[in-house]
Amino acid sequence: GQQVMQIPQYQHVQEGEDFTTYCNSSTTLSNIQWYKQRPGGHPVFLIQLVKSGEVKKQKRLTFQFGEAKKNSSLHITATQTTDVGTYFCAGYIMEYGNKLVFGAGTILRVKS
Amino acid sequence: EPEVTQTPSHQVTQMGQEVILRCVPISNHLYFYWYRQILGQKVEFLVSFYNNEISEKSEIFDDQFSVERPDGSNFTLKIRSTKLEDSAMYFCASSDRVNSYEQYFGPGTRLTVT
């Protein structure tokens, strides 16, 4: 079936270090969304990218959408303990309409 | 800020029993969704619902599952005969696709099938 792959599965960083998670699809995505899920919580929408090559920033977070609309990344600069959680990418795959396919998520732990 | 609500927060049921999970989407939203997340795993799409009918469903959403919008505010997921493997967190989400694809998730219902 359609899949969205995400790496790494888990990352443990020292507070102040940077963090990046990568998302890759075997097929072209209509758009890609990023969600954050705190431990014990529910997914919370962060951002949506639609255009090929798009880059968006939210404070210390930078989101990129690949030129071929098959990959994306989320980069956090100078992590803080409040960044702890699981970051999921999720994409709408063109052939499959209104069905959001989630990646497996990257668990971020931050040591203070 | 408007939010999606879900009840109950935790449901324990015996294998073979029927369960109904309830959701109240954000009031002006038009699209409704159910997802499940088995503990420690990724979020999996189950079904989307628009204009009082299912618009998409996944392979997981078999004949044991059904959804309904019984009135103007509630959106329910029914599992007719629960199996052990149905144990998971079930999230409801809603969106207003007029403006964006952003989905707002509810807090979830943890379903435990014994």
Side-chain angles (χ1 to χ4, degrees):
Chain A
Q2 59 280 17
Q3 284 200 23
V4 174
M5 312 300 291
Q6 194 173 349
I7 58 168
Q9 183 181 353
Y10 182 82
Q11 184 121 31
H12 200 171
V13 301
Q14 191 72 38
E15 189 174 21
E17 291 181 341
D18 292 356
F19 160 77
T20 305
T21 172
Y22 300 90
C23 190
N24 194 63
S25 169
S26 55
T27 57
T28 304
L29 302 170
S30 302
N31 60 45
I32 193 146
Q33 300 182 356
W34 285 91
Y35 290 80
K36 177 183 179 181
Q37 185 177 28
R38 292 184 186 276
H42 59 276
V44 175
F45 177 86
L46 294 176
I47 209 159
Q48 174 177 275
L49 303 170
V50 179
K51 298 176 187 172
S52 169
E54 190 169 12
V55 178
K56 286 188 177 179
K57 295 194 178 205
Q58 287 180 350
K59 298 182 181 177
R60 294 179 294 104
L61 278 60
T62 302
F63 304 84
Q64 292 188 314
F65 199 11
E67 294 289 340
K69 299 184 75 171
K70 289 185 176 183
N71 55 66
S72 181
S73 65
L74 157 60
H75 179 82
I76 302 177
T77 304
T79 53
Q80 300 174 357
T81 53
T82 51
D83 295 326
V84 161
T86 302
Y87 292 84
F88 291 98
C89 62
Y92 285 96
I93 295 174
M94 284 182 170
E95 294 88 353
Y96 295 103
N98 187 26
K99 190 188 296 184
L100 194 59
V101 180
F102 278 76
T106 296
I107 299 170
L108 173 63
R109 293 288 177 258
V110 180
K111 289 183 292 187
S112 58
Chain B
E1 187 173 323
E3 57 184 22
V4 176
T5 59
Q6 288 186 245
T7 54
S9 57
H10 190 189
Q11 174 96 44
V12 181
T13 189
Q14 287 192 326
M15 195 168 52
Q17 295 295 305
E18 175 182 287
V19 294
I20 298 176
L21 310 182
R22 301 179 192 280
C23 169
V24 179
I26 293 173
S27 62
N28 64 338
H29 283 187
L30 304 174
Y31 284 79
F32 314 116
Y33 311 85
W34 283 101
Y35 294 86
R36 80 172 186 191
Q37 186 178 32
I38 295 170
L39 186 63
Q41 299 188 22
K42 67 177 179 180
V43 177
E44 297 176 290
F45 171 85
L46 293 177
V47 66
S48 61
F49 191 86
Y50 170 69
N51 200 26
N52 282 320
E53 59 183 25
I54 291 173
S55 50
E56 299 274 359
K57 60 182 181 179
S58 72
E59 315 80 60
I60 303 167
F61 194 88
D62 61 23
D63 292 345
Q64 293 299 310
F65 291 86
S66 62
V67 290
E68 196 176 32
R69 187 151 164 84
D71 53 45
S73 59
N74 290 282
F75 180 50
T76 62
L77 174 69
K78 182 193 290 187
I79 309 175
R80 286 190 186 79
S81 177
T82 50
K83 302 187 277 285
L84 294 175
E85 53 266 36
D86 293 327
S87 295
M89 182 72 88
Y90 287 81
F91 292 108
C92 172
S94 69
S95 71
D96 174 4
R97 284 191 62 189
V98 172
N99 294 320
S100 75
Y101 285 89
E102 176 179 348
Q103 294 189 19
Y104 292 80
F105 281 71
T109 293
R110 179 164 297 286
L111 176 64
T112 302
V113 182
T114 61

